[in-house]
Amino acid sequence: MMEETQLINRVKEQTCFVSRDFRRELELLSGRVSKANGGAAAAKKLECTYILPDYNTDFTGHVMGNDEERAKPTPSEHILVMKNERIVVPELLFNPSDIGVDQAGVAEACLQAAKRCARDAHRHLYANILAVGGSTLFPGFVERLQSDIQKSVPDECTVQVHVPKNATTCTWEGAALFVANGLYDKHAVTRAQYQECGDSYLLDRWFM
């Protein structure tokens, strides 16, 4: 199954979500919270079952619905029970160090970018964060990103994360419009120009 990347991607998109309390929900899904404290019932609510495609009548697979949960899977059906994978996969967007990747998570990257700008602009930048890409469509992504950034900025700053309707193609469409309007040739810097003039040429080309 690991070789079927399209299937894995569909499972990820249809079952994963971003947790607002990752450590707590990870303990629930890992069975570390006792039944006496409601751990089993809470974990059951977080679990999800995905019916894999049989490539005969079903070529994509789907999340098991409530009606299907009442009946046992047929002999031809293969199921995949999603537990902590539902939250562990998207958590890497916020904490890539969990798998040994030495780089900032998405919230930290936003903070670093804002801090490189003039202090007077910080408040406006935090209020106008645009999140694009397919992973921004995970349920809970916007709320988690806003929450993580808000914890690290002054109280007078309001954090607002916006996701466009076309989040998966927004960046490409912006670049296509940039080229179609003839702006690319005006602002492009060739390798030879950069090697000859260095960073100062970029400032003159883009910001002057």
Side-chain angles (χ1 to χ4, degrees):
M1 181 175 172
M2 293 300 293
E3 297 177 355
E4 299 189 44
T5 55
Q6 290 184 340
L7 175 58
I8 293 295
N9 196 54
R10 278 197 300 271
V11 174
K12 178 195 72 174
E13 292 176 349
Q14 295 182 33
T15 65
C16 291
F17 67 94
V18 176
S19 173
R20 290 289 297 272
D21 190 351
F22 178 71
R23 299 302 170 189
R24 168 66 177 173
E25 292 187 338
L26 183 60
E27 289 181 351
L28 286 172
L29 290 166
S30 301
R32 299 173 190 164
V33 179
S34 66
K35 292 182 179 180
N37 292 327
K44 193 65 177 178
K45 291 181 179 179
L46 293 173
E47 290 180 9
C48 177
T49 300
Y50 194 90
I51 298 180
L52 298 171
D54 59 15
Y55 298 107
N56 183 22
T57 59
D58 183 358
F59 291 88
T60 61
H62 61 279
V63 175
M64 181 180 286
N66 293 332
D67 293 338
E68 292 172 302
E69 290 177 359
R70 299 189 185 98
K72 293 182 179 180
T74 65
S76 63
E77 288 181 337
H78 297 277
I79 64 172
L80 179 66
V81 179
M82 301 288 289
K83 296 184 178 181
N84 60 3
E85 299 87 358
R86 296 191 71 194
I87 59 173
V88 169
V89 171
E91 183 66 20
L92 298 178
L93 294 169
F94 296 87
N95 290 294
S97 60
D98 287 353
I99 57 170
V101 177
D102 185 20
Q103 65 181 43
V106 62
E108 181 61 28
C110 289
L111 291 166
Q112 290 177 1
K115 290 176 181 178
R116 288 180 177 271
C117 299
R119 183 177 296 272
D120 292 343
H122 289 184
R123 180 167 59 88
H124 303 290
L125 292 172
Y126 292 135
N128 293 279
I129 298 173
L130 182 66
V132 298
S135 294
T136 64
L137 301 179
F138 280 130
F141 177 90
V142 170
E143 294 80 4
R144 171 70 180 279
L145 182 57
Q146 287 185 173
S147 175
D148 283 8
I149 296 176
Q150 190 71 67
K151 295 174 184 176
S152 302
V153 302
D155 292 339
E156 61 269 18
C157 292
T158 300
V159 177
Q160 291 288 334
V161 177
H162 309 276
V163 178
K165 292 181 179 180
N166 55 339
T168 57
T169 59
C170 181
T171 304
W172 182 89
E173 290 174 3
L177 184 63
F178 184 73
V179 173
N181 287 342
L183 296 174
Y184 177 80
D185 291 336
K186 179 181 178 182
H187 295 283
V189 175
T190 66
R191 178 183 177 87
Q193 289 170 331
Y194 181 78
Q195 290 178 333
E196 180 181 353
C197 304
D199 295 346
S200 60
Y201 188 78
L202 303 181
L203 295 174
D204 294 338
R205 189 77 163 171
W206 295 340
F207 301 108
M208 301 298 288

